[in-house]
Amino acid sequence: MIQAEGVAAVTDESFGGEVLEAGLPVLVEFTADWCPPCRQLAPVLSAVAAETAGRLKVVQLDVDTNPGTTNRYGVLAMPTLLVFRDGEPVASMVGARPRRRLLQELEDVL
């Protein structure tokens, strides 16, 4: 998996504790090694994680090694970004995007 700097990786096993039970809103990137737009998004996620520290948790989930969570949320395209609040998905975005656009899309959940 292309690991974004400063962004934790979650798995099917850790998803509940790290995402669903988190005290902050959580941005989850569903990603894969074979996905070029995911590589483009990695530095954007790192920047967003740094800018929103304390207000938003940012994590990545590798779809190839974590099919349970991927299937549970019906993720079909990479990268898919889901925002969870209080254990529920509250926003969904598909595809790579620039940092400024992603921050604008996250304003409602921050």
Side-chain angles (χ1 to χ4, degrees):
M1 179 173 80
I2 298 102
Q3 190 68 39
E5 192 176 322
V7 175
V10 295
T11 63
D12 282 348
E13 292 75 33
S14 67
F15 191 83
E18 292 290 326
V19 176
L20 302 181
E21 297 168 14
L24 295 172
V26 183
L27 173 63
V28 181
E29 179 202 17
F30 290 80
T31 187
D33 280 338
W34 46 263
C35 162
C38 299
R39 285 199 233 1
Q40 294 173 330
L41 195 56
V44 172
L45 282 184
S46 296
V48 168
E51 284 184 49
T52 61
R55 296 183 297 146
L56 178 73
K57 182 175 181 178
V58 182
V59 299
Q60 291 177 292
L61 181 119
D62 185 316
V63 298
D64 292 327
T65 55
N66 299 284
T69 304
T70 303
N71 291 335
R72 182 180 323 138
Y73 293 103
V75 173
L76 301 174
M78 299 323 122
T80 291
L81 301 168
L82 290 181
V83 180
F84 288 81
R85 184 190 288 139
D86 300 324
E88 296 295 325
V90 295
S92 173
M93 298 155 268
V94 177
R97 58 229 322 111
R99 180 188 62 82
R100 187 168 56 211
R101 179 170 160 212
L102 180 55
L103 286 169
Q104 287 172 341
E105 292 171 325
L106 292 170
E107 280 177 2
D108 293 345
V109 297
L110 287 177

